[in-house]
Amino acid sequence: MQAAINPTRINLSVVPQRQPLKVVVLGDSIVYGFGDPEGGGWVERLRRQWMSPDTSGPILYNLGVRGNRVIQVRDRLDHEFRHRGELRNRLPDVSIFSVGLNDSSRVQSFQGRNYTEFNDFETTLHSMLDQAQRLCNVLFVGMTPIDESKMPFQGCLYYTLADQFRYKEATRQACLERDIPYLDLFEIWLNRGESWWKSRLCSDGLHPNVAGYEALLEDIRHWEPIQELAY
């Protein structure tokens, strides 16, 4: 005759717990958070919210590198995924990309060549997104507008709204073709008016300032694909 199970002797420590999602964010200096000495950028601000003991938010890894273009992000993608703390021996659940602004800049003058030629950008972007989708779910956060009157950046790089639009549209279309959610911050910010978005850029005309990153956080935090990750 089988003995009755004593519920007081069940080891609750072996009851499986829901594991938080692992999310990596790959991109350039705006992912890195340059220009936000108070909060460390939108990724860091979001990470701090998600790491609160009162929430069960994802584990967030900031893999932004200043100056990165799409080719650098693509080339470090697999290595970053497989050799990152808790991610060793398993892939992340979600990757968030935000890259392309540096590719769109022109070298030496407003009429110079693009830092990444447009056709090369498209080819590399498609390769990066295809590779990422084979690894995990993918989201893409678009670029914010720049202030042309503050160019050149670092004395040699000329960013324009027209070039930004061309590169971001190619990115948006590539995401659309792959059913990758794309947050069009360029259009969102422009629609709020020039005085609004220019006041949220650093003196270099390129990077968001503290208020800019606060606005970025709110735009990204209220984006439906991000809300779905947090709950």
Side-chain angles (χ1 to χ4, degrees), residues 48-109:
R48 292 176 186 178
Q49 288 190 5
W50 281 353
M51 69 186 294
S52 168
D54 299 327
T55 69
S56 57
I59 297 171
L60 194 62
Y61 292 86
N62 185 334
L63 306 183
V65 176
R66 291 185 63 187
N68 260 196
R69 294 176 289 147
V70 69
I71 192 168
Q72 281 94 20
V73 173
R74 185 202 64 182
D75 288 350
R76 64 186 172 92
L77 178 60
D78 190 70
H79 177 79
E80 293 274 30
F81 271 33
R82 299 182 188 277
H83 301 85
R84 180 66 50 177
E86 294 178 57
L87 299 180
R88 194 184 299 271
N89 301 321
R90 63 162 295 182
L91 296 175
D93 299 291
V94 179
S95 61
I96 303 173
F97 290 89
S98 186
V99 66
L101 177 60
N102 294 319
D103 298 272
S104 73
S105 65
R106 292 183 181 265
V107 180
Q108 299 300 335
S109 75

